Amino acid sequence: MKNKILITYSIPKEGLTELETHFDLIYPEKEFFTKEELIELIPHCIGLLSIFNREVSADIIKAGKNLKIISNYGVGFNNIDMNAANEQEIIVCNTPEAVCEPTAELCMGLLLSLSRQISLCNYGLKTNPEFEWGVMKNLGSTLRGKTLGIVGMGNIGKSVAEKAMVFGMNIAYHNRKPISEIKWKDAVYMHLPDLLEKSDVISLHCPLTPETHHLLNEKEFLKMKKTAFLINTSRGAVINEADLAIALEQGEIAGAALDVFENEPIIHPKLLTQKTALVVPHIGTATIETRIEMSREACQNIIEYLKNGITKNRVNQAFF
């Protein structure tokens, strides 16, 4: 009898083929398993393939008496109770490679739409018969020569930097520490206050941790240029949404484009009515190709660890 792997969500089955050759898969008949169903099923499973927008709480983990690994479908893993996983010495993995390029693509799409008012003009033309055209109407901002400040220079941040340089942007970045192997000789490391003050665009690519929770709030928005744009494709709670809504309303910054939110799927109501806020429903990795590749990467984590005892995408390295 094969060991069992619990799949929490109906992700593309094309990516599960190899995993199915090694293990018996418990796959939801509907869109996802409820918390109660997970607690009932997980005691029989050696692995859990979870999804980034569904909580893996302490009581789910504690019910997994035979659980050895949680492979999270997504780069973020703040949906998992890491303390509970560490206490039970359960390996936690993510899927950083599959999500990199599509998230960077969306980031650039949001930046272009925001800076050139693409979404706003589209909405105006479709909803307002008197929407004004003209040489000096609907003026946006060009990207060439502007400074893009990247907060979190991991794989996605680096991919965004590469793409932005093609548009002629200058790159500044903030990390916990400078990246010695960074390949762009013109990319400048800055402390966060300097980055906020000097950048024309701020793009967030950091994980959500206690240190980055509400990293940007009223105090930080006041440091930014009034002409600056803010892009967030990382995690919603890195920004204080209430403070951002006020900053946009009062013209402290020029605009914001958000793919992620503090309390998804709930969005701060002022962001839904603010013309300078562009919002999309967490679609950073939402392409069919990426969803399949994420399935494969999440499955590979499980296969590598349970067959060979190692996996390159482990995220709780330091705890046991």
Side-chain angles (χ1 to χ4, degrees), residues 37 53 63 83 124 137 191 200 215 230 253 257 277 286 301 312:
E37 289 170 330
N53 65 347
N83 289 330
K137 306 290 185 183
H191 294 292
D200 299 293
L215 181 70
L230 174 64
I253 63 174
N301 290 336
K312 64 181 178 179

Side-chain angles (χ1 to χ4, degrees), residues 53-284:
N53 65 347
R54 303 288 299 178
E55 183 184 18
V56 182
S57 58
D59 45 351
I60 293 173
I61 293 171
K62 288 175 182 177
K65 301 185 185 301
N66 297 303
L67 199 62
K68 302 296 182 186
I69 183 170
I70 300 171
S71 185
N72 207 44
Y73 186 88
V75 68
F77 48 90
N78 54 294
N79 59 308
I80 299 170
D81 190 313
M82 295 296 288
N83 289 330
N86 293 333
E87 286 174 9
Q88 290 184 216
E89 298 190 358
I90 296 169
I91 300 298
V92 179
C93 302
N94 64 349
T95 59
E97 294 180 6
V99 304
C100 180
E101 288 305 307
T103 304
E105 288 174 358
L106 179 71
C107 178
M108 291 305 299
L110 292 174
L111 175 52
L112 285 166
S113 184
L114 192 63
S115 64
R116 297 301 305 274
Q117 301 193 53
I118 295 171
S119 179
L120 195 60
C121 288
N122 175 66
Y123 179 79
L125 287 169
K126 289 182 176 180
T127 60
N128 182 7
E130 297 181 358
F131 186 78
E132 295 188 51
W133 299 43
V135 174
M136 298 304 294
K137 306 290 185 183
N138 309 309
L139 299 180
S141 300
T142 191
L143 299 183
R144 178 167 293 277
K146 299 292 174 49
T147 296
L148 172 63
I150 296 175
V151 180
M153 194 62 118
N155 291 335
I156 297 173
K158 290 176 182 176
S159 181
V160 170
E162 286 182 326
K163 292 170 174 53
M165 289 180 74
V166 174
F167 283 85
M169 299 191 79
N170 304 310
I171 307 299
Y173 73 97
H174 173 75
N175 238 29
R176 284 171 291 184
K177 57 183 180 180
I179 303 173
S180 59
E181 73 276 12
I182 193 163
K183 64 182 179 181
W184 308 291
K185 62 180 181 179
D186 295 327
V188 179
Y189 173 81
M190 293 184 183
H191 294 292
L192 185 59
D194 293 332
L195 187 83
L196 296 175
E197 184 179 318
K198 296 178 181 179
S199 297
D200 299 293
V201 181
I202 305 292
S203 189
L204 302 178
H205 301 285
C206 51
L208 179 60
T209 66
E211 293 74 27
T212 63
H213 183 266
H214 285 184
L215 181 70
L216 297 191
N217 53 40
E218 179 184 13
K219 180 181 176 182
E220 279 64 44
F221 295 135
L222 289 173
K223 294 175 183 175
M224 294 171 62
K225 297 179 180 180
K226 289 186 179 295
T227 55
F229 296 123
L230 174 64
I231 314 290
N232 190 11
T233 56
S234 61
R235 284 294 178 265
V238 174
I239 294 174
N240 183 317
E241 281 184 16
D243 288 357
L244 173 60
I246 293 170
L248 291 170
E249 190 174 53
Q250 296 182 350
E252 294 297 338
I253 63 174
L258 310 172
D259 181 44
V260 289
F261 306 90
E262 282 195 73
N263 301 298
E264 295 178 12
I266 299 169
I267 301 174
H268 192 286
K270 286 189 176 180
L271 295 176
L272 295 173
T273 58
Q274 179 58 250
K275 286 185 176 181
T276 53
L278 171 59
V279 296
V280 293
H282 204 149
I283 58 171

Side-chain angles (χ1 to χ4, degrees), residues 19-68:
L19 188 68
E20 199 167 16
T21 65
H22 298 280
F23 306 97
D24 284 333
L25 306 187
I26 302 176
Y27 189 90
E29 293 182 3
K30 298 180 180 179
E31 186 177 7
F32 55 83
F33 285 121
T34 65
K35 179 178 180 179
E36 293 72 24
E37 289 170 330
L38 291 175
I39 289 174
E40 180 182 349
L41 292 167
I42 204 168
H44 310 290
C45 299
I46 194 171
L48 177 70
L49 199 162
S50 55
I51 194 152
F52 60 86
N53 65 347
R54 303 288 299 178
E55 183 184 18
V56 182
S57 58
D59 45 351
I60 293 173
I61 293 171
K62 288 175 182 177
K65 301 185 185 301
N66 297 303
L67 199 62
K68 302 296 182 186

